[in-house]
């Protein structure tokens, strides 16, 4: 089954392709389909924004669309950057500068108080009016310095305690096996195959 990845983030697209392929889905990009859609993320939650993106891409493309709204939640920053993760510190910053901004804001915070999690809400929307939203999280700790070269975004500062490595130090398949996005997409595939009621998933 072909699904359109309702995202303009090339790193997410790569992860979707990688995770969905073994689940029996072919992920196509907006560029593959020759469409460009910009969605204003006006929702107040990851779920609301995922729904907005999936619906917009599905209606513009004629294909079933899968959208992800995700971010990093840091307890010592009262949940920031949260739904504003992509634009934290201003739209002109690089991923590395955003990581540095967080490290500077946490400079006095000891490891014991650096708990954080990645969260993803993923919505599937199709032309028949079927819509499914699932969510998943992965718990971690904000490192004191960036480490690793894989991944994207905040991966270099997100320490995953069971491996002692940041997500950027883990092989892509190792990240997918435990990440918010990997878990949410596997739940979505189960829901689409009708194995259980997605309404109860959060
Ligand atoms: P689309 O809306 O076009 O999909 P986006 O990057 O703007 O792309 P979001 O609004 O969902 O998407 O922002 C998510 C941000 O959260 C993303 O840009 C990263 O900074 C961060 N993020 C999410 N998942 C991540 C991951 O697995 N690793 C590192 N950073 C992640």
């Amino acid at each position: 089954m072909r699904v359109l990845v309702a995202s303009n983030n090339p790193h997410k697209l790569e992860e979707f392709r990688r995770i969905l392929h073994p689940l029996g889905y072919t992920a196509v990009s907006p560029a593959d389909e020759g469409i460009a859609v910009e969605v204003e993320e006006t929702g107040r939650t990851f779920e609301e924004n995922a729904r907005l993106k999936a619906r917009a891409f599905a209606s513009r493309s004629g294909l079933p669309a899968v959208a992800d709204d995700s971010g990093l939640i840091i307890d010592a920053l009262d949940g920031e950057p949260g739904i504003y993760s992509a634009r934290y510190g201003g739209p002109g910053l690089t991923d590395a500068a955003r990581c540095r901004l967080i490290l500077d804001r946490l400079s006095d915070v000891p490891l014991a108080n650096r708990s954080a999690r990645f969260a993803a809400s993923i919505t599937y929307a199709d032309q028949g009016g079927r819509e499914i939203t699932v969510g998943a999280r992965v718990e971690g700790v904000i490192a004191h310095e960036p480490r690793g070269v894989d991944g994207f975004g905040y991966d270099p500062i997100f320490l995953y305690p069971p491996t002692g490595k940041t997500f950027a130090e883990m092989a892509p398949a190792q990240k997918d096996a435990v990440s918010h996005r990997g878990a949410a997409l596997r739940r979505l595939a189960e829901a689409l195959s009708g194995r259980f009621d997605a309404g109860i998933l959060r």
Side-chain angles (χ1 to χ4, degrees), residues 9 41 70-71 81-91 93 95 98 154:
N9 181 328
E41 296 187 20
S70 50
I83 62 167
Y84 303 109
S85 291
R87 24 191 168 146
Y88 192 56
L93 294 190
D95 281 354
R98 270 185 247 283
Y154 300 102

Side-chain angles (χ1 to χ4, degrees), residues 187-201:
R187 284 180 168 194
L188 176 65
E190 286 188 33
L192 283 171
S193 69
R195 264 176 274 165
F196 53 74
D197 175 10
I200 59 166
L201 290 176

Side-chain angles (χ1 to χ4, degrees), residues 6-28:
S7 175
N8 295 315
N9 181 328
H11 303 286
K12 279 191 193 175
L13 177 66
E14 192 187 325
E15 292 199 1
F16 268 70
R17 282 197 206 280
R18 224 163 55 202
I19 299 165
L20 286 175
H21 181 72
L23 298 172
Y25 295 88
T26 303
V28 299

Side-chain angles (χ1 to χ4, degrees), residues 70-90 93-111 113-118 140-146 152-159:
S70 50
L72 180 62
I73 298 162
I74 301 174
D75 293 325
L77 297 179
D78 295 325
E80 285 189 14
I83 62 167
Y84 303 109
S85 291
R87 24 191 168 146
Y88 192 56
L93 294 190
T94 61
D95 281 354
R98 270 185 247 283
C99 287
R100 177 48 58 193
L101 180 61
I102 285 177
L103 293 180
D104 289 347
R105 293 195 173 159
L106 294 181
S107 60
D108 295 333
V109 180
L111 204 62
N113 296 334
R114 296 171 77 96
S115 53
R117 61 208 56 81
F118 274 123
V141 172
I142 302 301
H144 282 289
E145 284 301 327
F152 71 103
Y154 300 102
D155 282 344
I157 60 168
F158 187 81
L159 201 53

